[in-house]
Amino acid sequence: MASAVKALLSNVRSQAKSPFHADFSYESDDCDERTLLYRHRKQRGVNIGSWFVLERWITEQPFRYAAAPCQSDLDVAKGAHAKEILENHWDSWISANDFKWLSAMGINTVRLPIGYYHLCGVDPSVLRGTDFDGLEHVFGGAWHRIVRAIETADRYHIGVLFDLHASPGKQNQDSHSGTSSPVISFFQTQFNLQLMIRILRVLVSSLRSLRFDHRPALSNVVGIELLNEPKPPYPAALQAWYKNAITEIRCLDPSLPLFISDSPICLDHHLYRCFTSEDISTPAAQHSASLSNPNAPTPQTFARVSGALEDAGGNLIVGEWSGALNPSSLLGVVDERRERVQFIQAQLDLFERYCSGWFFWTYKKQYPGDSGWSFRDAVDTGIFPCRVGLFPVKLIPHDHTEWAGRKAVARGRAAARHVSYWTQYPAHYEHWRFEKGYDQGWEDAYYFLTSGVFEHGSVSELGLRGVWRKKRVCEHVLREGRSDNLWEYGHGYQQGVEEAAVDFQRAYC
């Protein structure tokens, strides 16, 4: 996570009252139960790459008439038959059967990369003064297809995380930021910075109208990632823009989760192990071990960052990861399939332990056979588990008395461990706060696990734990008063959530 995480860890607590920590209040007046569950459950997902933001290494066909150098959305738009090619691709790349298959797999969320130009069907003025100016006729049909994608996902109880992959002027040098130019000019002009905020306002307003004005109402948008992989000239430039963008968005939808880089709301980290010289020279088994060993640098960093974020009311997700290994990492390997299985499982175990969500990159490729980057191929070849999440095999009761006895026993054991540990450090404690926190954490976890709102796929699990824990601590203060021992309530809450999930799995799965 490099320098961004280092800066985050040093500043996360000091920023606790800044706009970076705007509350995702799950008691918002306009946040119904279905919306709450979609947004706050643990997200196990895939990226639907190259559906709207094209990447040639994923799907070659849309680039057949593209203008040179034939690598980006702008190149396709400036080529022959652009409107026809793009609309045919948007209509055929992903179907309802894909969402049905994903739901059966336990995938409950998709991360959907879009560019700002895909919103011109809502507001054509977003293209004025940009590289896509004058191309409304090419991209005008994108938005109603994006709405159709949300509708189809909702049909299979799949949430949608919008990822702004391309901004005016480009936020990184890659061609998946809209153009093939390597020049990053997003951060260089106020025009680009302000336009992107206006574009986000257009997107948020449109998504909000889908919840309240669309028929059927669509509540499965789980959040927005404001910028994908931004490369600012210096960190303060990105943080200043985030602050302004978040302030404006909160005025439109205070409860909408926001996913960003280098700031503690939902921090999105992208993890790949196949690009750097160190990755290339590291054997596959060593990659897996470095992810599995809790004392290794990567798990230690995940533990510190997720802990710091949750303490501040935020959360950590891995927005992009894959099963790809450089061929050099597999030299001399006797059983390549076994190494790939272990590598993917090591990543899954790490993310399940420390993250509120993860998204494999990418769902599929035009040409099959790449089990490192294609989720479909990874599943079909058995490298990726056949299902993720919790699938009950027994009837789930909706009466809390069913698990109340088990909770009391588990709470007693957890409290005894808590008291025993802190006895060796004499001080004034209020261990009763630990027990109250444990009770609340258990009940919140079971609220998600037994919600019964979604009939298909895996059950919901509490994902945004930092958000809920912060909110519950505040409520506890209002009831019981402030104290230097509020940390005990927080510790109890966390253990209650974790142990309730284990109890549910043992009892019903």
Side-chain angles (χ1 to χ4, degrees), residues 224-456:
I224 296 177
E225 183 161 352
L226 306 188
L227 278 181
N228 177 67
E229 298 178 351
K231 299 294 187 295
Y234 49 90
L238 178 62
Q239 292 172 355
W241 182 82
Y242 275 150
K243 180 178 180 179
N244 293 333
I246 292 166
T247 299
E248 295 242 5
I249 293 171
R250 285 288 177 248
C251 293
L252 296 174
D253 192 338
S255 67
L256 180 67
L258 302 179
F259 296 72
I260 59 182
S261 300
D262 193 23
S263 186
I265 291 187
C266 274
L267 179 69
D268 173 19
H269 175 55
H270 296 181
L271 183 67
Y272 296 117
R273 290 297 183 103
C274 57
F275 293 126
T276 69
S277 57
E278 183 180 357
D279 290 339
I280 293 170
S281 62
T282 301
Q286 190 173 331
H287 277 305
S288 299
S290 69
L291 297 166
S292 303
N293 180 0
N295 297 316
T298 297
Q300 286 284 304
T301 300
F302 267 76
R304 290 197 307 273
V305 173
S306 65
L309 284 167
E310 290 190 11
D311 287 345
N315 292 272
L316 174 66
I317 70 162
V318 175
E320 294 182 19
W321 66 284
S322 77
L325 289 163
N326 191 278
S328 297
S329 295
L330 295 165
L331 290 176
V333 168
V334 176
D335 189 342
E336 180 177 322
R337 183 181 181 280
R338 179 173 175 271
E339 293 293 346
R340 290 186 178 276
V341 169
Q342 291 181 341
F343 178 56
I344 284 180
Q345 191 60 54
Q347 293 183 88
L348 281 172
D349 290 344
L350 179 68
F351 306 154
E352 287 287 332
R353 181 172 183 180
Y354 294 115
C355 301
S356 62
W358 51 258
F359 297 84
F360 191 95
W361 186 280
T362 183
Y363 169 55
K364 69 174 184 176
K365 296 178 67 175
Q366 179 179 340
Y367 300 109
D370 189 349
S371 58
W373 291 103
S374 167
F375 183 76
R376 285 292 300 229
D377 288 321
V379 173
D380 289 344
T381 57
I383 291 174
F384 198 98
C386 61
R387 282 201 309 191
V388 292
L390 299 179
F391 284 80
V393 294
K394 298 179 182 178
L395 182 65
I396 303 173
H398 295 284
D399 181 359
H400 76 279
T401 58
E402 164 73 16
W403 56 81
R406 298 197 303 271
K407 180 184 73 171
V409 172
R411 181 188 61 226
R413 291 172 178 168
R417 292 193 302 269
H418 176 78
V419 171
S420 175
Y421 178 83
W422 290 106
T423 298
Q424 59 187 318
Y425 303 102
H428 171 68
Y429 298 110
E430 295 174 304
H431 297 317
W432 60 273
R433 293 187 188 269
F434 176 91
E435 295 190 40
K436 283 187 174 294
Y438 188 98
D439 275 348
Q440 188 64 66
W442 181 289
E443 292 300 323
D444 285 348
Y446 256 93
Y447 167 71
F448 277 79
L449 291 163
T450 61
S451 64
V453 170
F454 306 116
E455 297 85 7
H456 306 294

